[in-house]
Amino acid sequence: MSTALPLPTVAVVIPVFNEAAVLPVLFARLGAVFAAQPASCAWRAILVDDGSRDASAALIRAHAAADPRWELVELSRNFGFQAGLAAGLARAAATGADAVVTLDADLQDPPELIPELVAAWLGGAEIVRAVRRSRAERGLRRVAFDLFHRLFGSLSDYPIEANTGTFGLLGRNALAAFTALPERHRFFPGLRAWIGFTTADVLYDRQARAAGEPQQSLSRLIRYALDGIFSFSYLPLRVLTYIGLGISGLGFALALFFIVRRLLGIEIAQTGFTTLITIVTFLGGVQLIGIGILGEYLGRIYDEVKQRPVFLVKPARPPEA
């Protein structure tokens, strides 16, 4: 008499911040994916409320009460998207998930693609990246995203696939390696590339938001981009070294030029005040830029040394009578 093997558990981790307008659509679309794939996996959804100020936590709590496959992890305050993602991954690892799909709550990344990610994982890939063929953003945000991907690809010390974000899948081994990383300033695509493992790609078209407005402000996106650059590239420091060497060489050549002129008895007119001011201003600007770059690296080192937790989870509420 044969014993049926247990189905692999796939957890879908979704950070949520002020997404009450989107959540009913998310429940319906992700629930339809679960219903359409009943025999392939044991499905779970872990939604991390990152200190939402709207009804997001209440909506998730009510849905989880009606469907045990859904779970709410509520953070004590707004720690940011990457912290919410880390909290969800830690919860998935603690509950023994065989694979984790990371997904944004705004439905720009379609849940209907999840079966393809799972199929690639079952085919032997430990990491499955969802690579965007196209994206629905337009205007300044689209230009900024494209510019960042091009810039980051040329700056990074590690090969990171362009046009990828948090959407994708981590197998059990990759999940264990990822959750063991101690960084406070997290750039998910970079860390996913850094841990290695067998990787597969699935192409898709990124869609517009299902409802509401983007919750990631421009300042947060800029901070996230800087985390990616300063966490995975030493090129800014090397550029400062190259600039310093170039300016030093130019200064040495200029000094040698004036020494030779003086030895040859060639008189130099007492002029050049504008040139002097320009050179001093230029060198002062280069020094301030250099101090700023050093400060970015030093600030991140300081955050790591403090060893504060990436997130804090609220105690679970007792069930209502």
mmCIF file of all heavy atoms in Angstrom, residues 68-86:
data_model
loop_
_atom_site.group_PDB
_atom_site.id
_atom_site.type_symbol
_atom_site.label_atom_id
_atom_site.label_comp_id
_atom_site.label_asym_id
_atom_site.label_seq_id
_atom_site.Cartn_x
_atom_site.Cartn_y
_atom_site.Cartn_z
ATOM 1 N N PRO A 68 -8.210 29.921 6.552
ATOM 2 C CA PRO A 68 -6.991 29.657 7.327
ATOM 3 C C PRO A 68 -5.714 29.649 6.488
ATOM 4 O O PRO A 68 -4.619 29.618 7.058
ATOM 5 C CB PRO A 68 -7.259 28.274 7.949
ATOM 6 C CG PRO A 68 -8.289 27.653 7.069
ATOM 7 C CD PRO A 68 -9.137 28.783 6.565
ATOM 8 N N ARG A 69 -5.839 29.654 5.180
ATOM 9 C CA ARG A 69 -4.631 29.711 4.351
ATOM 10 C C ARG A 69 -4.004 31.097 4.363
ATOM 11 O O ARG A 69 -2.856 31.266 3.920
ATOM 12 C CB ARG A 69 -4.972 29.323 2.911
ATOM 13 C CG ARG A 69 -5.427 27.874 2.731
ATOM 14 C CD ARG A 69 -5.825 27.597 1.298
ATOM 15 N NE ARG A 69 -6.928 28.465 0.881
ATOM 16 C CZ ARG A 69 -7.486 28.456 -0.333
ATOM 17 N NH1 ARG A 69 -7.032 27.602 -1.244
ATOM 18 N NH2 ARG A 69 -8.472 29.267 -0.631
ATOM 19 N N TRP A 70 -4.725 32.096 4.863
ATOM 20 C CA TRP A 70 -4.239 33.470 4.900
ATOM 21 C C TRP A 70 -3.814 33.809 6.328
ATOM 22 O O TRP A 70 -4.460 33.411 7.286
ATOM 23 C CB TRP A 70 -5.322 34.447 4.427
ATOM 24 C CG TRP A 70 -5.701 34.240 2.994
ATOM 25 C CD1 TRP A 70 -6.411 33.207 2.469
ATOM 26 C CD2 TRP A 70 -5.366 35.087 1.898
ATOM 27 N NE1 TRP A 70 -6.562 33.349 1.114
ATOM 28 C CE2 TRP A 70 -5.920 34.506 0.732
ATOM 29 C CE3 TRP A 70 -4.668 36.292 1.774
ATOM 30 C CZ2 TRP A 70 -5.795 35.078 -0.522
ATOM 31 C CZ3 TRP A 70 -4.534 36.872 0.523
ATOM 32 C CH2 TRP A 70 -5.090 36.265 -0.614
ATOM 33 N N GLU A 71 -2.727 34.555 6.430
ATOM 34 C CA GLU A 71 -2.183 34.902 7.747
ATOM 35 C C GLU A 71 -1.750 36.365 7.760
ATOM 36 O O GLU A 71 -1.196 36.875 6.780
ATOM 37 C CB GLU A 71 -0.986 34.001 8.075
ATOM 38 C CG GLU A 71 -0.336 34.302 9.414
ATOM 39 C CD GLU A 71 0.870 33.421 9.690
ATOM 40 O OE1 GLU A 71 1.186 32.562 8.828
ATOM 41 O OE2 GLU A 71 1.509 33.606 10.735
ATOM 42 N N LEU A 72 -1.992 37.035 8.874
ATOM 43 C CA LEU A 72 -1.580 38.422 9.073
ATOM 44 C C LEU A 72 -0.397 38.462 10.025
ATOM 45 O O LEU A 72 -0.444 37.900 11.118
ATOM 46 C CB LEU A 72 -2.726 39.260 9.652
ATOM 47 C CG LEU A 72 -2.339 40.666 10.153
ATOM 48 C CD1 LEU A 72 -1.865 41.553 9.007
ATOM 49 C CD2 LEU A 72 -3.510 41.315 10.890
ATOM 50 N N VAL A 73 0.677 39.135 9.597
ATOM 51 C CA VAL A 73 1.794 39.487 10.473
ATOM 52 C C VAL A 73 1.784 41.009 10.579
ATOM 53 O O VAL A 73 1.935 41.704 9.574
ATOM 54 C CB VAL A 73 3.146 38.997 9.910
ATOM 55 C CG1 VAL A 73 4.301 39.486 10.787
ATOM 56 C CG2 VAL A 73 3.160 37.478 9.803
ATOM 57 N N GLU A 74 1.590 41.511 11.783
ATOM 58 C CA GLU A 74 1.411 42.949 11.975
ATOM 59 C C GLU A 74 2.638 43.538 12.658
ATOM 60 O O GLU A 74 2.975 43.162 13.790
ATOM 61 C CB GLU A 74 0.157 43.193 12.814
ATOM 62 C CG GLU A 74 -0.379 44.606 12.719
ATOM 63 C CD GLU A 74 -1.740 44.739 13.373
ATOM 64 O OE1 GLU A 74 -2.293 43.711 13.850
ATOM 65 O OE2 GLU A 74 -2.251 45.867 13.422
ATOM 66 N N LEU A 75 3.317 44.462 11.985
ATOM 67 C CA LEU A 75 4.494 45.110 12.564
ATOM 68 C C LEU A 75 4.074 46.216 13.522
ATOM 69 O O LEU A 75 2.975 46.773 13.415
ATOM 70 C CB LEU A 75 5.394 45.665 11.470
ATOM 71 C CG LEU A 75 5.902 44.664 10.421
ATOM 72 C CD1 LEU A 75 6.952 45.313 9.529
ATOM 73 C CD2 LEU A 75 6.473 43.411 11.083
ATOM 74 N N SER A 76 4.959 46.548 14.455
ATOM 75 C CA SER A 76 4.617 47.522 15.493
ATOM 76 C C SER A 76 4.508 48.938 14.964
ATOM 77 O O SER A 76 3.850 49.784 15.573
ATOM 78 C CB SER A 76 5.666 47.466 16.612
ATOM 79 O OG SER A 76 6.954 47.817 16.115
ATOM 80 N N ARG A 77 5.151 49.218 13.845
ATOM 81 C CA ARG A 77 5.064 50.529 13.191
ATOM 82 C C ARG A 77 5.491 50.361 11.738
ATOM 83 O O ARG A 77 5.765 49.244 11.285
ATOM 84 C CB ARG A 77 5.960 51.560 13.890
ATOM 85 C CG ARG A 77 7.468 51.249 13.825
ATOM 86 C CD ARG A 77 8.300 52.428 14.278
ATOM 87 N NE ARG A 77 9.723 52.137 14.322
ATOM 88 C CZ ARG A 77 10.551 52.216 13.274
ATOM 89 N NH1 ARG A 77 10.069 52.558 12.077
ATOM 90 N NH2 ARG A 77 11.834 51.946 13.396
ATOM 91 N N ASN A 78 5.556 51.469 11.019
ATOM 92 C CA ASN A 78 5.999 51.430 9.628
ATOM 93 C C ASN A 78 7.523 51.372 9.568
ATOM 94 O O ASN A 78 8.206 52.363 9.849
ATOM 95 C CB ASN A 78 5.474 52.649 8.872
ATOM 96 C CG ASN A 78 5.951 52.683 7.430
ATOM 97 O OD1 ASN A 78 6.554 53.655 7.010
ATOM 98 N ND2 ASN A 78 5.710 51.629 6.686
ATOM 99 N N PHE A 79 8.058 50.209 9.219
ATOM 100 C CA PHE A 79 9.503 50.036 9.106
ATOM 101 C C PHE A 79 9.990 50.166 7.667
ATOM 102 O O PHE A 79 11.186 50.252 7.429
ATOM 103 C CB PHE A 79 9.917 48.653 9.640
ATOM 104 C CG PHE A 79 9.885 48.544 11.131
ATOM 105 C CD1 PHE A 79 8.733 48.119 11.779
ATOM 106 C CD2 PHE A 79 10.990 48.846 11.900
ATOM 107 C CE1 PHE A 79 8.691 48.001 13.159
ATOM 108 C CE2 PHE A 79 10.965 48.740 13.277
ATOM 109 C CZ PHE A 79 9.809 48.318 13.911
ATOM 110 N N GLY A 80 9.098 50.132 6.699
ATOM 111 C CA GLY A 80 9.503 50.201 5.306
ATOM 112 C C GLY A 80 9.289 48.877 4.590
ATOM 113 O O GLY A 80 9.177 47.807 5.217
ATOM 114 N N PHE A 81 9.217 48.957 3.268
ATOM 115 C CA PHE A 81 8.881 47.787 2.450
ATOM 116 C C PHE A 81 9.854 46.641 2.660
ATOM 117 O O PHE A 81 9.443 45.477 2.801
ATOM 118 C CB PHE A 81 8.858 48.196 0.974
ATOM 119 C CG PHE A 81 8.542 47.070 0.032
ATOM 120 C CD1 PHE A 81 7.234 46.721 -0.236
ATOM 121 C CD2 PHE A 81 9.554 46.346 -0.582
ATOM 122 C CE1 PHE A 81 6.936 45.668 -1.096
ATOM 123 C CE2 PHE A 81 9.273 45.301 -1.438
ATOM 124 C CZ PHE A 81 7.958 44.962 -1.697
ATOM 125 N N GLN A 82 11.156 46.929 2.669
ATOM 126 C CA GLN A 82 12.142 45.859 2.796
ATOM 127 C C GLN A 82 12.048 45.158 4.141
ATOM 128 O O GLN A 82 12.225 43.941 4.236
ATOM 129 C CB GLN A 82 13.548 46.426 2.587
ATOM 130 C CG GLN A 82 13.821 46.898 1.172
ATOM 131 C CD GLN A 82 13.714 45.775 0.161
ATOM 132 O OE1 GLN A 82 14.300 44.707 0.329
ATOM 133 N NE2 GLN A 82 12.978 46.008 -0.910
ATOM 134 N N ALA A 83 11.750 45.912 5.209
ATOM 135 C CA ALA A 83 11.576 45.296 6.518
ATOM 136 C C ALA A 83 10.332 44.411 6.533
ATOM 137 O O ALA A 83 10.341 43.313 7.104
ATOM 138 C CB ALA A 83 11.476 46.375 7.595
ATOM 139 N N GLY A 84 9.243 44.890 5.901
ATOM 140 C CA GLY A 84 8.050 44.070 5.810
ATOM 141 C C GLY A 84 8.304 42.780 5.049
ATOM 142 O O GLY A 84 7.819 41.702 5.429
ATOM 143 N N LEU A 85 9.080 42.883 3.985
ATOM 144 C CA LEU A 85 9.428 41.686 3.210
ATOM 145 C C LEU A 85 10.260 40.723 4.059
ATOM 146 O O LEU A 85 10.031 39.506 4.051
ATOM 147 C CB LEU A 85 10.194 42.111 1.959
ATOM 148 C CG LEU A 85 10.396 41.084 0.856
ATOM 149 C CD1 LEU A 85 9.066 40.620 0.301
ATOM 150 C CD2 LEU A 85 11.251 41.684 -0.257
ATOM 151 N N ALA A 86 11.226 41.264 4.816
ATOM 152 C CA ALA A 86 12.058 40.420 5.673
ATOM 153 C C ALA A 86 11.217 39.723 6.732
ATOM 154 O O ALA A 86 11.447 38.547 7.056
ATOM 155 C CB ALA A 86 13.156 41.264 6.331
#
